[in-house]
Every structure is written in C-alpha cells, then in structure tokens.
Amino acid sequence: MSTPKVEAIGVRKRFGRNEVLCGIDLVVQPGQVACLIGPSGSGKSTFLRCINHLESISGGSLSVDGHLVGYRRSGETLYELKPKEIAKRRQDIGMVFQRFNLFPHLTAVENVTAGPVTVRGESKATARERALRLLDRVGLSDRANHYPGQLSGGQQQRVAIARALAMEPSLMLFDEPTSALDPELVGEVLDVMRDLADSGMTMVVVTHEMGFAREVGDSVTFMDGGVVVETGPPRQIIEHPQHERTKLFLSKVF
C-alpha cells in the first residue's frame, strides 16, 4: 500500500472546555475523493481546517504524505513547528472556503497570480501564464481581467479554485464550496470539481451536495457530535446507511 495522502488517528480538538472533535479516524489514499457529510456543528469544517493546520489539534495525530501536520515528534512529545515551517508544508495543500475570500482590488488573473509570486517568489510572467491556463480550465478565460465585484458567486468560487490550484497542490480541501451560492450557480462549481477528480486530484470535500458525494466520491464519512458515525463507499452510506443517526440525517436531506 502507498503512504496515505491523509491519515487521521484519534484526532481531538477542543475550544476551551468544548470538545468539537472527539477522536476522528480517517484515511484518504492518493487520488481519492473523500466526502464528509453531517449536520451543522458536527465538526466537519473544524476537521478540514486541522488538515492544513489552520486549527491545531488537541490530541491524536494527523499526517499528510506521512508527515505530521504542523508538528514534529521527539520521542512521545509533539512540538509545534514555527510559522515559516508550517507555511512551507501548507504550500502543498490547496483550500477552497465557503466564502470566496478573493482580494476585491485585484482582477481574477491577479488573484490567481498572487500566491506563486508572493509565497514562491515566481516571476510575474510565469505566474500569469499559469493563471491564464487555470482560468481557462475553470471556464473563465474571458473574465481574466474582471474584478470580483464584476463576477457572479459561481464565477468567484471558480476563481478561488484556480487560485488554490496555482500553488500546484497535491491535495485539495473544499469546505462546503457551494453553500454560499444561488442554486442555479452550484452546478458550474461542481463541474470544475468533477474535472479535478477525473484528473486524479486527491480531495477532501465537506459538502451537503449528496448527488456529488454519491457520483464523485470514493468514500463518504458521516460525522455527528464530533465523531465519525460511519464511513464507507458512497452508495452504501447514502442509500443503505446502517446507523440510525445517519438514516435520520439523510431523511431530512432528501
């Protein structure tokens, strides 16, 4: 077996006295699409943010490509890495948020170019050439010089995906990327994500889009109350759930 792209073992996360992750186990192999589903407040987004160390974990271990995320181990003790080291490791992980978080004063192509130039020190010409290719890939070559305020929500989210891809990540994290969109704009973002999955990109996706999870996912994990209730192949979990909590959740979604 190859080294897992993502491996979580007993991951815990507390905010003060509130434990929002209560021992999460999850393995994602290279090239897989893992979908996380569950009610709001179940810990899905927090877990996703732990994968690239936007949130530190309170217990357990979490690794990407066999390397601990945000920490180094000395004996039985974990030491948090310095911000520069964390940023360097994070470069290989792209993330797309619910809100697009684009720079409003930059055009689409400038938004996509910013990361490689400022973080990697690439030349503007090289970064711009890649940015234009990526905007074409997400169907926005004709919007390259538009500002976010001139774009629809779906178009802004596609720019955000292109921006994440500009860092050439080997893992993409999506935190409910369609939840802030009008229903008619959801499809255009999901189409880009399907294309990414078809190209072999490893993806962890927090989503309420059950059709996407069933058609594109290699696994579906249902979380509730900070624990993994059940996980398995998409059709098994979505069409034949075993746990009553999963059944109740899905009965409200469909």
Side-chain angles (χ1 to χ4, degrees):
M1 288 290 289
S2 60
T3 301
K5 177 60 71 173
V6 179
E7 185 173 28
I9 302 173
V11 170
R12 295 181 174 274
K13 175 62 181 178
R14 293 183 206 86
F15 292 103
R17 293 183 179 180
N18 183 29
E19 190 166 43
V20 295
L21 298 178
C22 309
I24 301 296
D25 294 326
L26 184 72
V27 175
V28 183
Q29 297 294 345
Q32 287 189 333
V33 177
C35 294
L36 307 181
I37 64 172
S40 297
S42 59
K44 307 182 302 296
S45 294
T46 298
F47 175 68
L48 201 72
R49 291 170 64 85
C50 287
I51 293 176
N52 66 352
H53 205 66
L54 286 177
E55 296 287 354
S56 59
I57 63 175
S58 306
S61 69
L62 185 50
S63 58
V64 174
D65 288 325
H67 301 289
L68 291 174
V69 177
Y71 298 91
R72 63 177 176 85
R73 187 187 300 277
S74 179
E76 294 300 311
T77 307
L78 292 181
Y79 296 92
E80 191 166 15
L81 296 174
K82 294 179 180 178
K84 267 191 175 180
E85 296 173 291
I86 294 171
K88 188 172 182 181
R89 291 195 180 183
R90 194 182 280 146
Q91 286 182 32
D92 201 39
I93 306 173
M95 187 159 185
V96 178
F97 300 87
Q98 296 180 35
R99 297 290 173 179
F100 326 120
N101 295 337
L102 298 178
F103 296 114
H105 63 290
L106 299 181
T107 63
V109 70
E110 289 168 343
N111 265 282
V112 179
T113 302
V117 170
T118 58
V119 177
R120 284 186 171 175
E122 282 188 5
S123 71
K124 288 186 178 180
T126 299
R128 182 179 173 85
E129 184 180 345
R130 184 192 299 112
L132 290 172
R133 287 200 310 270
L134 289 170
L135 288 172
D136 182 57
R137 181 177 181 179
V138 300
L140 290 173
S141 57
D142 61 336
R143 295 290 190 272
N145 294 314
H146 285 58
Y147 291 91
Q150 299 172 308
L151 302 173
S152 70
Q155 289 170 338
Q156 289 186 62
Q157 192 63 294
R158 284 186 281 157
V159 172
I161 294 173
R163 178 182 59 183
L165 292 173
M167 296 297 288
E168 300 184 314
S170 64
L171 169 65
M172 285 285 286
L173 309 177
F174 291 87
D175 187 8
E176 298 190 26
T178 60
S179 65
L181 301 178
D182 292 331
E184 66 269 21
L185 303 177
V186 168
E188 63 190 56
V189 173
L190 294 181
D191 285 345
V192 171
M193 294 171 64
R194 285 189 183 92
D195 176 68
L196 274 181
D198 289 343
S199 73
M201 176 65 74
T202 310
M203 298 160 60
V204 182
V205 184
V206 173
T207 186
H208 290 296
E209 300 293 337
M210 294 301 145
F212 176 86
R214 181 168 47 200
E215 296 162 22
V216 182
D218 293 290
S219 68
V220 168
T221 297
F222 173 69
M223 292 178 59
D224 191 18
V227 301
V228 170
V229 177
E230 60 180 305
T231 187
R235 290 189 181 277
Q236 173 189 311
I237 300 300
I238 294 174
E239 297 177 10
H240 305 289
Q242 300 300 302
H243 202 287
E244 289 303 319
R245 289 160 81 185
T246 317
K247 292 176 183 177
L248 179 62
F249 171 76
L250 290 171
S251 73
K252 294 178 179 178
V253 172
F254 288 107

